[in-house]
Amino acid sequence: MEKIVILTGAGISAESGLGTFRDAGGIWSENRIEDVATPEAFARDAARVHRFYNARRVQAAAAEPNAAHAALARLQAGHPGEVVIVTQNVDGLHEAAGSRGVIHMHGELARALCAACGLRWDAAPEMSPSDACPGCGARACRPDVVWFGEMPYRMEEVLDHLAGADVFAAIGTSGEVWPAAGFAQEAALAGAHCVEINPEASAVASDFHEARRGRASEMVPAWVADLLGGAGDQSL
Ligand code: OAD
């Protein structure tokens, strides 16, 4: 039974109205990474970092999954083998479309983490530096997202999945951020057929065997339909 491992990035949520990072007008053109997405930024100005993630949390909560998220949920439901979704996205749009077992390697906007005791819980829509941890009471609550300089979550598990993959697809990701940028190479070493679904060639495009160029909302349903033998182009 073919095992399919899928990596998604900001591009899959672009057509749901959530901005990508590195496209023109993207999140990193309006905010400097070192001001909002590092442990040092949080130590220096927690209120600013919370404001940045609060705005993204509110926006993500109002967003709807698009045809690409829906197609991946259909693939999980309809493919006879295992379909693992690993996402760099901190939104919850894969789950909103019906996907299960999604690995959030960069964390989730919807979750909070106590930097003092490690407790995790569902984040309030707006977090602030004065929030107290519901477990230990420390005023050290942060969004449960991975910042630059921190280790992405569940990497051993992801590497195990890549080692057993027959097909690997990267969707809507620029290939600029490691370790995710190295997943195609890992999967190819394990013998997987690697497909890049993105409007333009990513920074690691040469690691893939196949490229499908275009917007996720069109290319992903078509790819899923091919994998499911034509049954994948139905709506959910
Ligand atoms: P990027 O903003 O780096 O790349 C988004 C990719 O999506 C680009 O290659 C675009 O061409 C593509 N894209 C744009 N519109 C699309 C569409 N409609 N359909 C499909 N693709 C489209 O975002 P990521 O690669 O996800 O990490 O960025 C990786 C990580 O860098 C993020 O998780 C975040 C960021 O800094 C952290 O914050 C730790």
Side-chain angles (χ1 to χ4, degrees):
M1 221 68 87
E2 268 197 341
K3 172 166 174 159
I4 303 173
V5 179
I6 298 162
L7 170 71
T8 63
I12 197 169
S13 296
E15 292 164 82
S16 294
L18 302 180
T20 60
F21 294 94
R22 295 173 181 79
D23 291 301
I27 294 171
W28 295 150
S29 67
E30 287 169 6
N31 305 271
R32 295 189 325 156
I33 287 175
E34 55 272 37
D35 288 337
V36 294
T38 65
E40 294 77 17
F42 191 65
R44 208 165 44 236
D45 191 348
R48 176 169 186 179
V49 173
H50 276 306
R51 274 199 307 278
F52 173 73
Y53 285 99
N54 286 345
R56 294 184 59 201
R57 187 178 298 109
V58 167
Q59 206 191 7
E64 300 282 347
N66 64 53
H69 300 101
L72 294 187
R74 282 201 301 282
L75 182 63
Q76 274 191 319
H79 179 68
E82 197 182 357
V83 178
V84 179
I85 298 176
V86 182
T87 189
Q88 299 166 91
N89 298 343
V90 291
D91 63 51
L93 294 182
H94 284 302
E95 289 85 351
S99 279
R100 294 290 168 258
V102 178
I103 298 179
H104 280 272
M105 61 178 286
H106 289 169
E108 294 174 75
L109 286 169
R111 302 281 288 164
L113 164 67
C114 175
C117 74
L119 185 72
R120 290 184 160 86
W121 64 96
D122 287 341
E126 303 257 317
M127 294 182 69
S128 106
S130 58
D131 294 345
C133 168
C136 73
R139 300 199 187 278
C141 304
R142 54 169 284 182
D144 189 11
V145 300
V146 174
W147 286 323
F148 286 88
E150 295 182 323
M151 193 64 89
Y153 296 155
R154 300 172 68 180
M155 276 307 102
E156 271 187 36
E157 211 181 317
V158 172
L159 291 175
D160 280 350
H161 284 308
L162 292 171
D166 298 295
V167 175
F168 170 74
I171 303 170
T173 179
S174 60
E176 298 281 358
V177 176
W178 294 76
F183 288 177
Q185 226 169 38
E186 292 288 336
L189 274 175
H193 176 73
C194 298
V195 188
E196 177 169 271
I197 304 177
N198 212 59
E200 58 195 24
S202 76
V204 292
S206 61
D207 294 339
F208 291 81
H209 305 104
E210 182 186 344
R212 293 182 173 221
R213 299 272 168 245
R215 293 183 302 154
S217 66
E218 288 168 12
M219 304 311 290
V220 178
W223 176 65
V224 166
D226 288 350
L227 289 171
L228 294 180
D233 52 1
Q234 311 296 308
S235 321
L236 267 183

